[in-house]
């Protein structure tokens, strides 16, 4: 239904505005050189960015997710809603399958968008601070990558993105469905908004915890190639090198900022989507009643 897509767009805008600063911190922590540590942790990274680049530094690269995530959320909620209707029964398994299908399909847009976002977030920072800026904005970034590396370059990190998004969105929608049912989220409930915010926030946390190591690998692959030097030959090589140099903890790097971001972002996203759908569907029901005319007793 069209309503699912519109609701997804609104949820995407709300999520980006709330969560992009946390994402900037996460990416910088994930890809910083272990031999030249710049940020000691999540809060130090926040402080350093604001001190050195002002608060606007936290919003570097927001153009790509603002354009992409609104559309991605439209696809995610649209595909999930239509898949659920196609599957017929509203069961936990079908919630997971519908979410996984939505997660896999949106990777076509998500991967290039996150590539541009990562390049923009890292541009002019750390060991590359002295280098001139290569990209004016996110579209310019993707265009230049395409001209240099072709479609393969624009889709760098696609396998890691698929392995992250497919199961993660399955757990995302499954968790939200279980929590909203157990909390009794009904339109007439006076406490529906805090309940939806809690359910959405916890869904986001569960989703990220389920596949976070793949996100670290994706970020490293997409950040690779700065200065024209590529360190990784692929996802497996990235895993091998990262583990050999930094141990297993490397696959949890940036997790704190990610979880801090996940709760408010997904609380805002799911609450916006659910409330919009409730409002619009209630309006449709009222319209149908008006068209039907008065009931004769």
């Amino acid at each position: 239904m069209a309503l699912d897509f519109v609701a997804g767009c609104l949820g995407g805008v709300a999520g980006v505005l709330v969560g992009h600063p946390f994402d900037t911190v996460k990416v910088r922590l994930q890809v910083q050189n272990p031999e030249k540590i710049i940020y000691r942790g999540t809060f130090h990274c926040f402080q350093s960015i604001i001190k050195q680049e002002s608060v606007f530094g936290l919003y570097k690269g927001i153009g790509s997710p603002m354009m992409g995530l609104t559309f991605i959320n439209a696809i995610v909620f649209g595909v999930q809603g239509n898949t659920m209707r196609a599957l017929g029964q509203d069961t936990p398994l079908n919630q997971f399958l519908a979410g996984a299908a939505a997660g896999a399909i949106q990777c076509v847009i998500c991967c290039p968008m996150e590539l541009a976002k990562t390049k923009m977030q890292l541009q002019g920072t750390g060991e590359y601070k002295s280098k001139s800026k290569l990209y004016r904005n996110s579209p310019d970034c993707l265009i230049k990558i395409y001209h240099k590396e072709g479609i393969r370059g624009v889709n760098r990190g696609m396998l890691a993105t698929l392995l992250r998004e497919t199961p993660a969105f399955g757990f995302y929608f499954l968790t939200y469905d279980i929590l909203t049912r157990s909390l009794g989220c009904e339109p007439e409930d006076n406490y529906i908004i805090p309940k939806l915010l809690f359910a959405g926030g916890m869904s986001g946390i569960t989703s990220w915890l389920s596949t976070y190591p793949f996100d670290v690998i994706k970020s490293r692959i997409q950040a690779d190639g700065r200065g024209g030097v590529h360190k990784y030959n692929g996802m497996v090589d990235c895993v091998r090198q990262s583990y050999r140099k930094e141990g297993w903890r490397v696959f949890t790097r940036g997790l704190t900022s990610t979880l801090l971001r996940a709760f408010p972002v997904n609380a805002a996203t799911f609450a916006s989507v659910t409330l919009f759908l409730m409002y619009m569907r209630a309006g449709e029901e009222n319209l149908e009643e008006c068209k039907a005319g008065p009931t004769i007793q």
Side-chain angles (χ1 to χ4, degrees), residues 90-290:
D90 186 359
T91 64
L93 176 60
N94 285 348
Q95 285 285 348
F96 181 87
L97 292 175
I105 290 172
Q106 57 89 41
C107 285
V108 176
I109 299 169
C110 174
C111 182
M113 181 207 77
E114 293 200 355
L115 174 67
K117 173 181 67 65
T118 299
K119 297 289 189 184
M120 292 296 295
Q121 286 173 325
L122 298 174
Q123 184 169 243
T125 64
E127 60 192 290
Y128 299 93
K129 193 171 184 178
S130 61
K131 295 184 181 294
S132 60
K133 292 186 177 182
L134 295 174
Y135 314 117
R136 295 191 302 274
N137 49 45
S138 296
D140 179 59
C141 177
L142 290 176
I143 290 170
K144 286 182 176 177
I145 292 173
Y146 176 76
H147 285 161
K148 186 177 180 180
E149 304 177 50
I151 195 69
R152 185 175 181 179
V154 172
N155 287 290
R156 182 180 297 276
M158 178 62 79
L159 178 58
T161 304
L162 274 169
L163 291 173
R164 181 193 71 178
E165 299 290 86
T166 304
F169 272 97
F171 286 114
Y172 187 54
F173 283 97
L174 174 61
T175 303
Y176 188 71
D177 180 66
I178 292 173
L179 287 177
T180 50
R181 288 178 187 275
S182 62
L183 292 171
C185 297
E186 300 295 337
E188 62 275 8
D189 188 350
N190 292 330
Y191 300 99
I192 187 171
I193 292 179
K195 287 180 178 180
L196 291 177
L197 290 171
F198 176 76
M202 292 306 298
S203 299
I205 287 176
T206 302
S207 172
W208 275 108
L209 286 174
S210 68
T211 59
Y212 188 77
F214 289 111
D215 185 66
V216 176
I217 298 305
K218 180 212 61 90
S219 292
R220 291 192 158 212
I221 291 172
Q222 291 185 332
D224 193 26
R226 290 182 293 174
V229 179
H230 289 278
K231 296 189 294 185
Y232 309 122
N233 294 322
M235 192 180 80
V236 175
D237 183 52
C238 181
V239 172
R240 186 185 301 115
Q241 287 194 45
S242 298
Y243 178 76
R244 185 186 304 135
K245 292 179 181 179
E246 302 169 63
W248 66 268
R249 290 184 182 276
V250 67
F251 301 116
T252 64
R253 183 176 289 178
L255 181 59
T256 300
S257 62
T258 299
L259 296 182
L260 286 173
R261 168 182 175 265
F263 192 94
V265 167
N266 293 288
T269 299
F270 258 125
S272 299
V273 170
T274 304
L275 291 172
F276 174 80
L277 290 175
M278 283 183 177
Y279 175 80
M280 294 303 295
R281 285 167 181 166
E284 286 181 348
E285 290 174 3
N286 291 335
L287 182 61
E288 289 300 320
E289 289 177 5
C290 290

Side-chain angles (χ1 to χ4, degrees), residues 20-21 24-25 28 38-39 44-61 119-129 133:
H20 192 76
T24 298
V25 170
R28 293 200 186 183
I38 300 171
Y39 310 117
H44 180 249
C45 187
F46 265 111
Q47 292 172 343
S48 299
I49 292 172
I50 293 173
K51 183 178 180 180
Q52 297 170 14
E53 306 169 49
S54 83
V55 70
F56 296 108
L58 294 170
Y59 284 91
K60 274 188 174 181
K119 297 289 189 184
M120 292 296 295
Q121 286 173 325
L122 298 174
Q123 184 169 243
T125 64
E127 60 192 290
Y128 299 93
K129 193 171 184 178
K133 292 186 177 182

